[in-house]
Amino acid sequence: RVMEVQTAFCEPAGELPEWKAARASGGGVLLDLGSHHMDLVRWIVGRETVAVQATLASARSEHDSARVRLDLGEGVEAQCVFSFRASRVDVIQVVGETGLLRADRLLPPLKVWTTPGARPGLRQQRVLRDLEPDGPATAT
């Protein structure tokens, strides 16, 4: 069972194209970066968002940083950070009752930590992408 999701998607931007610098023309970090992770959270957890809280900041351009909390119901929340001003990161972490899944687009491979049975401690599994386009992922 999913307990919590944590996600960060940040792309440091020097000069933004004009359309990205203003929300009215389709810009802002929520539309450009945040929409992808919020959709991914819904897909991974398998449920719709019940409530949203967000804090936006505008330092170099309109809405260039955001912190978002998604209430996914039944006590499950997602904490999200998006920014054009922070260090480059694209990661999602799912905390579950019996393990942790961490997917980092910039530092592959996918990592899964599990707590086997009732034994304390964690076991790390690396899921490697098969070289064949339609091949299954393999755990090592």
Side-chain angles (χ1 to χ4, degrees):
R1 184 175 89 77
V2 173
M3 306 294 289
E4 180 177 87
V5 179
Q6 300 152 354
T7 176
F9 193 5
C10 304
E11 289 286 340
E15 274 305 304
L16 288 172
E18 192 174 321
W19 72 269
K20 279 189 173 190
R23 185 171 175 259
S25 57
V29 75
L30 287 177
L31 292 172
D32 193 17
L33 301 179
S35 60
H36 299 291
H37 272 216
M38 288 187 264
D39 185 49
L40 186 59
V41 166
R42 290 172 48 240
W43 181 76
I44 288 172
V45 176
R47 61 178 82 175
E48 294 299 321
T49 302
V50 175
V52 177
Q53 290 180 333
T55 303
L56 296 165
S58 301
R60 294 188 200 132
S61 62
E62 188 178 8
H63 298 172
D64 56 10
S65 290
R67 292 185 176 272
V68 178
R69 185 186 71 79
L70 303 174
D71 179 347
L72 299 161
E74 298 182 27
V76 180
E77 289 187 357
Q79 303 291 331
C80 310
V81 175
F82 309 110
S83 182
F84 288 138
R85 296 182 291 128
S87 178
R88 190 168 191 233
V89 63
D90 187 359
V91 65
I92 187 163
Q93 182 167 286
V94 180
V95 179
E97 284 182 336
T98 60
L100 175 113
L101 171 94
R102 181 178 172 89
D104 189 328
R105 182 175 63 94
L106 305 175
L107 296 171
L110 176 70
K111 294 180 182 177
V112 179
W113 288 268
T114 60
T115 305
R119 296 185 331 210
L122 298 174
R123 177 181 44 143
Q124 179 178 338
Q125 299 173 344
R126 292 176 179 249
V127 179
L128 304 175
R129 186 179 196 159
D130 196 85
L131 295 177
E132 296 297 319
D134 296 327
T138 57
T140 60

